[in-house]
């Protein structure tokens, strides 16, 4: 077991915010009990938070909070509340904002010189057409906010693209009218998920698709350990630093141009990594949380 020093003794309460108890939250709670930590499960759907209250929120929700909400917006606003009351949250609001929005995430990666697929942003059907004239077919259309590969679509030709864009224009959702389009990267039928805690890569796996072109484990993808090469380690750590660091899932692809980072997850799921053999992820996450408590 990794030793973490006197803070493990001093810390009393760690809040764990969730809106659904997934496999990951269960193993985190189980591991915390084995470590003798006092985890406070916080069901986001039952919260009623008084913005003007002067009560001691740390006494109720813990010295530090681990944010594990599936909903981007729910998690974002709860994080903002806790930080306003002096409670540190992992990951912090700024990191969550960037990672949960693909446009902001890509801009952060590009600004830091992290290799990433060619990405365009358009705001109308005309803008989409202009983009595809430039990069050609096939391409990939992604929602700017979303997970598990939902609403990601390959743009294979003009007819199917126009039908897809027309359907999104009809939907009364302004987020669907921001078009995030990436080049279709030539890659093996797999991608790479790395789990990063602080300044270390604690797990690296290949994710293979079965019948779907998307490789998400949530869509049935299978996993196996991926060797952590120097190139991969350097790129994903640089990507994590670009968005502010913390506990992150950095997803990458192998391309003819080298490793490309295509997504960073703020509330990383790690069931696939543990299934592949990376068994000490909950231990390392909890140790990082404990070390992050301000003295």
């Amino acid at each position: 077991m990794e030793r973490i020093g006197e803070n493990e003794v001093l810390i009393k309460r760690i809040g764990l915010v969730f809106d659904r108890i997934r496999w990951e939250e269960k193993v985190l709670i189980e591991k915390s009990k084995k470590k003798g930590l006092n985890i406070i499960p916080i069901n986001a759907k039952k919260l009623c938070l008084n913005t003007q209250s002067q009560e001691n929120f740390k006494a109720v929700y813990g010295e530090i909070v681990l944010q594990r909400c599936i909903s981007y917006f729910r998690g974002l606003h709860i994080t903002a509340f806790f930080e306003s009351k002096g409670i540190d949250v992992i990951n912090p609001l700024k990191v969550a904002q960037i990672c949960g929005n693909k446009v902001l995430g890509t801009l952060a990666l590009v600004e830091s010189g992290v290799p990433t697929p060619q990405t365009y942003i358009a705001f109308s059907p005309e803008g989409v057409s202009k983009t595809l004239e430039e990069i050609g077919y096939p391409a990939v259309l992604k929602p700017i906010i979303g997970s598990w590969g939902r609403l990601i679509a390959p743009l294979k030709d003009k007819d199917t693209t126009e039908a897809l864009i027309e359907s999104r224009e009809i939907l009364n959702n302004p987020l669907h009218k921001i078009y995030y389009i990436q080049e279709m990267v030539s890659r093996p039928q797999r991608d790479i998920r790395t789990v990063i805690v602080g300044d270390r890569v604690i797990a690296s796996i290949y994710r293979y698709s079965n019948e779907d072109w998307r490789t998400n484990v949530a869509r049935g993808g299978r996993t196996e350990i991926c060797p952590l090469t120097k190139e991969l380690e350097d790129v994903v750590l640089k990507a994590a630093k670009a968005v502010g660091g913390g506990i992150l899932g950095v997803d990458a692809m192998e391309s003819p141009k080298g490793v490309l980072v295509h997504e960073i997850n703020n509330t990383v799921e790690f069931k696939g990594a543990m299934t592949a053999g990376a068994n000490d992820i909950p231990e390392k996450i909890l140790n990082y949380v404990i070390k992050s408590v301000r003295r």
Side-chain angles (χ1 to χ4, degrees), residues 137-176:
Y137 295 98
V140 181
L141 176 66
K142 299 180 177 181
I144 63 169
I145 293 171
S147 57
W148 298 340
R150 289 178 296 197
L151 299 180
I152 294 178
L155 304 178
K156 297 179 179 178
D157 55 53
K158 184 177 179 181
D159 289 342
T160 53
T161 297
E162 288 180 350
L164 187 61
I165 299 305
E166 184 178 337
S167 67
R168 286 183 55 154
E169 284 291 310
I170 293 172
L171 297 173
N172 189 27
N173 184 334
L175 293 177
H176 288 329

Side-chain angles (χ1 to χ4, degrees), residues 36-47:
L37 301 174
N38 186 356
I39 283 276
I40 308 169
I42 304 169
N43 187 341
K45 295 179 180 177
K46 294 184 178 180
L47 284 176

